[in-house]
Amino acid sequence: MPAAQSIAVIIPAAGSGSRFGDARNKVFAMLAGKPLWMHCVERFAARAEVSRIVLAISEEDRETFVQQSARSAIRGKIAFCRGGSERSDSVAAALRTLDGDDSVQWIAVHDAARPLVQDDDLSSVFEMAEQNGAAILATPITGTVKRGVAGQGGCSTVDRRELWTALTPQVFRADVLRSAYARHHGFPVTDDAQLVERAGYPVALVHGVADNLKITFPEDLQLAEAILKRYGNR
Ligand code: CTP
Ligand code: MG
């Protein structure tokens, strides 16, 4: 994507991290001396195509975000908005803050809990989005997949050859994402591409590295430390 093209990045960070089990939001957990959310922001702030970064946060976390960014170079590049009770509500709130900014042609959505996204993958997904209007990073399912219903005996095997795990960032032409969200009507979703698919737009899959994991449980943090070391602690 040419640098002249302006990408706004939405970073939903307004969860509570209930599965992580810390007293405070997991995005404040430290990884190589920096909170998780800051790893994400720094990766996008370093890209020439990125013009704005909006973090959706909960009101009770605002003070901590402001404090943690106070001495950082990213301070002037980020804005905060108030998130909502579901992830999609947080993204919708951040989208509203971008309303009226015609310089924003593309919108990337990236979980604050995915600190390991690599520059090459950002380049690939930005490029594919430009060609297709919508593109997401994804990684092929590697295990054998079973369909079973809890409490009922028996299961069946699902052909995994066409199955992918969705990652972020997910990148959309701004008008595509806006119109998908305009038709949301509270439909439960776990990523943004699902709304875009429902609105009838094709979403391209871009094979990204599985290292781009979402920190969900405490042990994911140890795995992330090991991956970062391998990359040389960037
Ligand atoms: N998120 C958000 N607003 C919400 C819920 C989630 O902005 N109402 C964000 C989280 O902060 C996280 C990302 O969406 O960066 C992915 O969500 P998830 O990993 O599920 O984080 P949490 O919801 O915080 O964790 P949990 O589901 O374990 O409570
Ligand atoms: Mg959640």
Side-chain angles (χ1 to χ4, degrees):
M1 187 169 292
Q5 299 261 31
S6 162
I7 305 180
V9 182
I10 290 176
I11 301 193
S16 59
S18 54
R19 286 168 291 178
F20 193 75
D22 232 355
R24 58 183 191 168
N25 188 346
K26 66 181 177 183
V27 304
F28 298 133
M30 298 301 272
L31 172 66
K34 258 183 291 188
L36 294 183
W37 72 270
M38 200 174 285
H39 284 268
C40 302
V41 169
E42 286 182 355
R43 277 157 205 273
F44 286 98
R47 303 285 307 206
E49 313 93 321
V50 170
S51 58
R52 296 179 65 174
I53 300 176
V54 182
L55 283 112
I57 63 170
S58 63
E59 213 39 52
E60 62 183 90
D61 287 343
R62 184 177 289 271
E63 188 72 27
T64 313
F65 277 106
V66 170
Q67 270 171 15
Q68 291 187 339
S69 50
R71 284 181 307 279
S72 164
I74 57 160
R75 188 172 40 121
K77 300 189 180 173
I78 55 177
F80 297 110
C81 77
R82 194 184 189 140
S85 58
E86 300 295 329
R87 182 188 179 282
S88 55
D89 300 324
S90 298
V91 174
L95 255 181
R96 285 193 292 274
T97 72
L98 299 173
D99 275 353
D101 184 347
D102 294 335
S103 74
V104 172
Q105 292 154 307
W106 301 90
I107 297 173
V109 186
H110 182 73
D111 291 325
R114 288 186 197 272
L116 299 174
V117 64
Q118 295 299 303
D119 225 27
D120 287 350
D121 280 356
L122 291 184
S123 300
S124 309
V125 72
F126 287 171
E127 202 173 299
M128 184 59 93
E130 193 192 9
Q131 282 169 33
N132 194 62
I136 69 171
L137 287 179
T139 186
I141 300 260
T142 54
T144 301
V145 180
K146 300 288 186 189
R147 178 176 288 117
V149 180
Q152 289 180 18
C155 64
S156 60
T157 305
V158 181
D159 186 348
R160 68 159 185 249
R161 282 173 298 184
E162 292 183 350
L163 297 184
W164 298 72
T165 299
L167 307 170
T168 71
Q170 304 194 337
V171 187
F172 311 97
R173 234 176 46 220
D175 60 309
V176 167
L177 188 62
R178 286 199 174 102
S179 78
Y181 263 89
R183 292 180 224 178
H184 178 196
H185 306 309
F187 180 79
V189 289
T190 48
D191 75 351
D192 309 287
Q194 206 174 333
L195 289 177
V196 172
E197 293 154 25
R198 276 185 88 227
Y201 298 102
V203 177
L205 290 175
V206 175
H207 190 157
V209 292
D211 287 350
N212 179 12
L213 73 155
K214 182 163 71 70
I215 307 294
T216 304
F217 298 101
E219 54 270 30
D220 296 332
L221 203 52
Q222 286 155 17
L223 188 55
E225 293 273 3
I227 293 168
L228 255 195
K229 277 211 183 87
R230 203 179 69 224
Y231 283 129
N233 248 350
R234 308 191 294 105

